[in-house]
Amino acid sequence: MRRLFAVVALLAGFLLVPTRSDAALGNVAPWATATASYTSPWESVAAINDGIDPSRSNDLRNRRWGTWPQAGEQWALLTWPSAQTISSAQVYFFDDGGGVREPVSWRLQSWDGAAYADIPAAYPVAVDGYVTASFPAVTTTRLRIVLESGTAAVGLLEVKAFADTAAARSGWNPPAALVTPLDEVWRHTESGDRDPYGFRNFGWDQIMANGGSINYCVRWDSPAPVSAELRDRVHAALARSFGKWMNVMAGHDGWPYAEVPVKVVGWAVRDRATLQWDDDSVDVYVGDMRENAPQCAEPCGRFFNQSGAYPDCPGGASHHYDMSLWLTSGMDGGAGGDWGQRVGSEYLVDNLGSDDIHILLHEIGHGFGLDDFYDWTPAGQCCFLMNAGSATSITEFDAWMLRDLWRHLKSRYGY
């Protein structure tokens, strides 16, 4: 979709460049694709790596993976696009006290290219908290969690896999067939209306300025009510979608972060009664309008304060937001840029359980500087996410375009 970039005066900013280290352990589970031996029709295997910490084993507010009525040996599988060097894992069991109970035992298996092999370790079982298995590091593209049930079904709420991302770091090594089209894309980027070297509000700049995280504010431009449960599901879907782009960067070409946490710090609405919660987990902005839509406080927005200072933001810099998720009732398609993403509110709500919310994914790509391809396509390429309408998930070519942007811009962050 066409990017919307407002013309603003660019202010000289400061960056917090992270300190390098020879080893960086991080949870790489959110960047994997989750599958399972069986999933109850009303549950979701995508729950196991959505990055949401459960409150208890019978968590009723967030998605869960369960196998009822199937019992016996069941498994959930995490698959990465590139090998990870993993040395420990944590799991949180689903136990509703009825048809789904904690397993009798469990174990981890790694894929060696031909078959799954058990990983020797101690495997404790407990409810209402994570249990941890530690082991000598294994390098694999697949980690399988195998659960042995009793008479009931089994399930998981969350899985964390801790990998040495420094060991997996690689340089610039795209497949040979992609070298020419990637060069075409970069030359097209350089010749565009915006200087990629001089522009300083890409998603890269925002993440670096925060020391490895990103903050959002939601602009809810709809009369539909929002419950606390719906709010949390919107937050989780946003984090999951943003994380898919960060997944392709993890361990690549000096990228310093194994994961980039996404925090929603506020919601903007026309009427406070639209938001059906009274906790203080996010800031709420009522009646502030911009472009005839609810606007989060401009003194808190990086788009309006690209110096990186927020002296007039209520609550201070910790309440600032880097991007907006603008959800508009009745909107088809989307828009995206350094300011954030705009998609239909109904579209997002209807797709909260989808693994790939493809319009949102496409618009997030624009925030990092990826372009549209309305009037041309790179040599040998036809179907990829940033070529709107030709793919519904991040493809290999999309991933290498993002990595190529980092390759050309990383020197300004000291990499």
Side-chain angles (χ1 to χ4, degrees):
M1 306 304 167
R2 180 64 60 191
R3 293 172 295 170
L4 300 180
F5 285 100
V7 178
V8 298
L10 296 181
L11 305 176
F14 66 90
L15 296 174
L16 300 178
V17 179
T19 302
R20 302 189 192 190
S21 63
D22 293 332
L25 286 178
N27 175 25
V28 295
W31 320 139
T33 299
T35 54
S37 55
Y38 176 80
T39 302
S40 305
W42 54 89
E43 309 288 14
S44 173
V45 71
I48 71 169
N49 63 332
D50 62 9
I52 299 175
D53 288 321
S55 59
R56 56 195 177 105
S57 285
N58 190 23
D59 189 331
L60 300 177
R61 295 189 61 179
N62 300 302
R63 298 185 300 175
R64 310 177 297 190
W65 171 65
T67 67
W68 193 90
Q70 303 297 322
E73 183 177 287
Q74 302 291 329
W75 52 261
L77 176 66
L78 296 176
T79 302
W80 290 273
S82 59
Q84 308 294 321
T85 302
I86 301 169
S87 56
S88 67
Q90 294 180 333
V91 302
Y92 204 120
F93 297 119
F94 173 22
D95 187 326
D96 64 6
V100 180
R101 301 303 303 268
E102 66 184 58
V104 173
S105 63
W106 68 288
R107 67 188 186 278
L108 297 171
Q109 295 179 328
S110 61
W111 177 254
D112 64 9
Y116 288 99
D118 289 345
I119 300 176
Y123 294 104
V125 176
V127 296
D128 296 331
Y130 285 100
V131 294
T132 301
S134 299
F135 40 85
V138 296
T139 299
T140 185
T141 57
R142 305 182 200 174
L143 184 69
R144 189 157 70 172
I145 305 96
V146 182
L147 308 180
E148 300 288 348
S149 77
T151 57
V154 289
L156 294 168
L157 300 182
E158 193 69 18
V159 175
K160 298 181 179 182
F162 296 95
D164 180 357
T165 57
R169 285 180 185 160
S170 61
W172 179 245
N173 57 350
L178 298 185
V179 171
T180 294
L182 287 170
D183 181 63
E184 292 175 355
V185 170
W186 179 249
R187 286 189 283 108
H188 187 270
T189 299
E190 285 186 308
S191 64
D193 295 335
R194 184 183 54 189
D195 174 16
Y197 300 105
F199 189 76
R200 295 283 173 158
N201 199 41
F202 290 120
W204 313 106
D205 301 293
Q206 297 167 13
I207 292 169
M208 289 294 175
N210 295 336
S213 63
I214 195 88
N215 286 1
Y216 267 84
C217 196
V218 177
R219 302 176 67 183
W220 184 254
D221 191 13
S222 168
V226 183
S227 66
E229 178 184 7
L230 178 57
R231 173 199 66 193
D232 293 346
R233 293 183 66 205
V234 169
H235 295 184
L238 174 61
R240 188 168 66 251
S241 298
F242 198 93
K244 285 181 177 291
W245 282 111
M246 296 296 89
N247 178 31
V248 306
M249 292 305 306
H252 180 83
D253 199 14
W255 177 247
Y257 304 112
E259 55 184 313
V260 176
V262 176
K263 182 179 181 181
V264 177
V265 297
W267 279 64
V269 291
R270 297 173 185 266
D271 183 352
R272 179 62 180 84
T274 304
L275 305 181
Q276 299 181 336
W277 70 79
D278 57 10
D279 62 55
D280 60 357
S281 60
V282 296
D283 297 323
V284 174
Y285 304 102
V286 180
D288 294 338
M289 305 297 289
R290 183 181 176 90
E291 302 160 300
N292 196 33
Q295 171 67 53
C296 305
E298 292 185 9
C300 299
R302 179 180 166 91
F303 183 78
F304 308 103
N305 302 274
Q306 293 182 25
S307 65
Y310 306 94
D312 300 320
C313 177
S318 64
H319 291 248
H320 90 278
Y321 61 95
D322 304 292
M323 292 194 185
S324 295
L325 177 61
W326 185 355
L327 303 175
T328 304
S329 179
M331 181 180 181
D332 294 323
D338 62 312
W339 50 267
Q341 298 81 47
R342 185 183 186 186
V343 299
S345 56
E346 296 90 352
Y347 164 77
L348 184 71
V349 170
D350 289 346
N351 286 277
L352 288 176
S354 300
D355 190 39
D356 290 302
I357 307 176
H358 71 277
I359 297 178
L360 178 58
L361 282 170
H362 176 102
E363 305 308 341
I364 291 172
H366 286 321
F368 286 93
L370 293 175
D371 211 341
D372 279 312
F373 293 83
Y374 291 131
D375 54 358
W376 77 288
T377 52
Q381 305 302 310
C382 73
C383 306
F384 50 98
L385 183 70
M386 296 311 297
N387 186 13
S390 67
T392 58
S393 61
I394 297 171
T395 68
E396 182 181 40
F397 188 60
D398 292 301
W400 281 104
M401 284 196 297
L402 187 72
R403 292 165 180 162
D404 201 20
L405 281 171
W406 168 250
R407 178 171 73 106
H408 285 95
L409 300 178
K410 66 180 183 176
S411 62
R412 72 193 197 195
Y413 312 118
Y415 289 89

